[in-house]
Amino acid sequence: MRNTASYLRVLGIAVLGYLFLNWIGTTGEDSIFIEQPLLWAILGVIVLFYIAGEACVTTLQSILYQSLKPDAQEKYDENAAVAKANRFKWIKDKYKASLGSRDIEDEHEIILDHNYDGIQELDNNLPPWWVYGFYASIIFAVIYLVRFEVFNDYNQEEEYETAVAAAKIEIEEWKKTAKDLVDVNTVVLLTDAADLKAGAAIFGENCIACHKIDGGGGIGPNLTDKHWILGGGIKNVFNTISEGGRSGKGMVSWKKDLKPAQMAQVASYVINFQGTIPADPKEPEGDLWIDPNAPVETQPEVEEIVQDSIIVVDINN
């Protein structure tokens, strides 16, 4: 690696390797290199192998050059100089042609007759890139005029409304998979084993000091009975975890320490304590909470049958 091209090739391989590995492994949310840091090592090995290959090729070229006779080396140097001079020749020629300029030795052909105190003027043409751009702008203007003024295609207000509607659809689709966007209004009870396991870990790390490992209660209330100080159900429990308990004597707010998805997980885990029997349960606190969304239990129908003036009660289960 003795020239700039070698370093550029190495940089290109590193960038392409990063993009390729990220493309084949990404989940659509975070970069695969964040989810799997080990891939940095794999990318590093790939780049090191490429650097070794570049070094081997350079060394081999040097050995072959040294093995040449002096006249062959001189011819090789001449060919290398010509190749270097012609490098990017097509691009250079196109760039020069786009300027429409003349070489200094040809300027006498376009010099004007008049001069001002020895200052002469050249009759240069406009650069081709400027002329072609001007023609393109005329064509664009004609098409635009016909499309929007003659055929009355959409206007800016309609375009804006269409873009906003499309953006709203994209946002709604994104919300379906954005776990950390959950709030007290959208939170639902999680039943997936992975979510409950994560909730158990969060509960064990932050909550057992006040509620005990089995939810029986200590400093904090018992989580296994049907009495709740601030209301039961996933929404109330999530809100209590997020905003904290009663002012001055309730638990602290956890919204600065836990992400919304984590609060939903631990709230779902807390709900699962309902109906369990802890080792040393604390007395119930708060009010008996009945889920307003729970199905109403139907009472058995009672039918009165009159037989010979005697009322017989028939219970249909």
Side-chain angles (χ1 to χ4, degrees):
M1 297 178 60
R2 297 180 179 179
N3 51 49
T4 304
S6 298
Y7 291 102
L8 291 177
R9 286 194 294 268
V10 171
L11 179 62
I13 287 295
V15 172
L16 288 176
Y18 174 86
L19 295 176
F20 179 74
L21 292 175
N22 190 61
W23 175 67
I24 63 174
T26 186
T27 59
E29 296 181 359
D30 296 323
S31 170
I32 190 62
F33 286 88
I34 297 177
E35 299 176 357
Q36 302 290 339
L38 183 62
L39 284 179
W40 285 111
I42 296 175
L43 179 60
V45 171
I46 294 173
V47 173
L48 284 176
F49 271 104
Y50 185 80
I51 292 175
E54 283 277 352
C56 289
V57 171
T58 302
T59 303
L60 182 60
Q61 288 177 340
S62 177
I63 294 173
L64 292 175
Y65 180 82
Q66 296 297 329
S67 65
L68 296 175
K69 295 180 180 181
D71 56 340
Q73 290 182 355
E74 183 177 353
K75 186 175 181 180
Y76 177 85
D77 292 337
E78 292 177 357
N79 293 335
V82 172
K84 185 176 181 180
N86 292 329
R87 186 179 300 171
F88 308 117
K89 185 176 183 300
W90 182 83
I91 298 176
K92 294 176 181 178
D93 292 341
K94 291 299 180 182
Y95 172 74
K96 185 177 180 180
S98 69
L99 297 178
S101 59
R102 295 285 191 93
D103 293 331
I104 294 179
E105 55 270 17
D106 296 330
E107 286 185 349
H108 66 278
E109 299 177 1
I110 58 173
I111 196 168
L112 297 176
D113 295 335
H114 58 269
N115 67 75
Y116 303 92
D117 296 330
I119 300 175
Q120 294 179 299
E121 183 180 2
L122 299 177
D123 187 18
N124 283 311
N125 294 324
L126 288 171
W129 66 265
W130 192 96
V131 175
Y132 297 147
F134 180 67
Y135 292 155
S137 66
I138 295 175
I139 296 173
F140 175 83
V142 171
I143 295 175
Y144 186 91
L145 178 65
V146 172
R147 179 179 179 184
F148 293 101
E149 299 299 330
V150 177
F151 293 105
N152 294 322
D153 205 346
Y154 63 88
N155 55 36
Q156 290 182 336
E157 183 177 355
E158 293 172 343
E159 184 180 12
Y160 170 77
E161 292 176 352
T162 302
V164 170
K168 288 181 178 179
I169 294 174
E170 292 179 1
I171 291 173
E172 293 302 321
E173 291 297 323
W174 174 71
K175 285 182 178 180
K176 293 178 181 179
T177 57
K179 290 185 177 181
D180 284 335
L181 200 66
V182 65
D183 58 21
V184 68
N185 297 312
T186 59
V187 65
V188 294
L189 182 65
L190 303 176
T191 58
D192 187 75
D195 288 321
L196 295 178
K197 183 178 179 180
I202 298 171
F203 185 88
E205 183 178 351
N206 301 291
C207 309
I208 60 174
C210 297
H211 297 284
K212 294 185 179 180
I213 189 66
D214 58 4
I219 300 175
N222 185 350
L223 302 176
T224 65
D225 57 43
K226 295 184 178 181
H227 288 73
W228 295 87
I229 298 174
L230 298 175
I234 186 63
K235 294 186 182 297
N236 288 322
V237 175
F238 179 92
N239 187 65
T240 303
I241 295 172
S242 174
E243 306 302 324
R246 294 165 295 174
S247 177
K249 55 183 177 180
M251 76 173 187
V252 299
S253 170
W254 288 94
K255 62 184 178 182
K256 293 183 179 179
D257 301 288
L258 299 176
K259 296 179 179 179
Q262 293 175 314
M263 290 191 290
Q265 291 170 335
V266 71
S268 298
Y269 179 73
V270 167
I271 296 295
N272 276 347
F273 279 126
Q274 294 288 287
T276 61
I277 301 175
D280 185 20
K282 189 178 180 181
E283 290 297 323
E285 298 178 74
D287 301 321
L288 180 66
W289 189 81
I290 299 176
D291 187 355
N293 298 319
V296 180
E297 295 183 2
T298 57
Q299 298 295 329
E301 296 181 359
V302 178
E303 181 182 355
E304 293 183 353
I305 303 176
V306 179
Q307 294 180 351
D308 297 333
S309 300
I310 301 175
I311 299 177
V312 179
V313 178
D314 182 20
I315 300 178
N316 298 321
N317 292 322

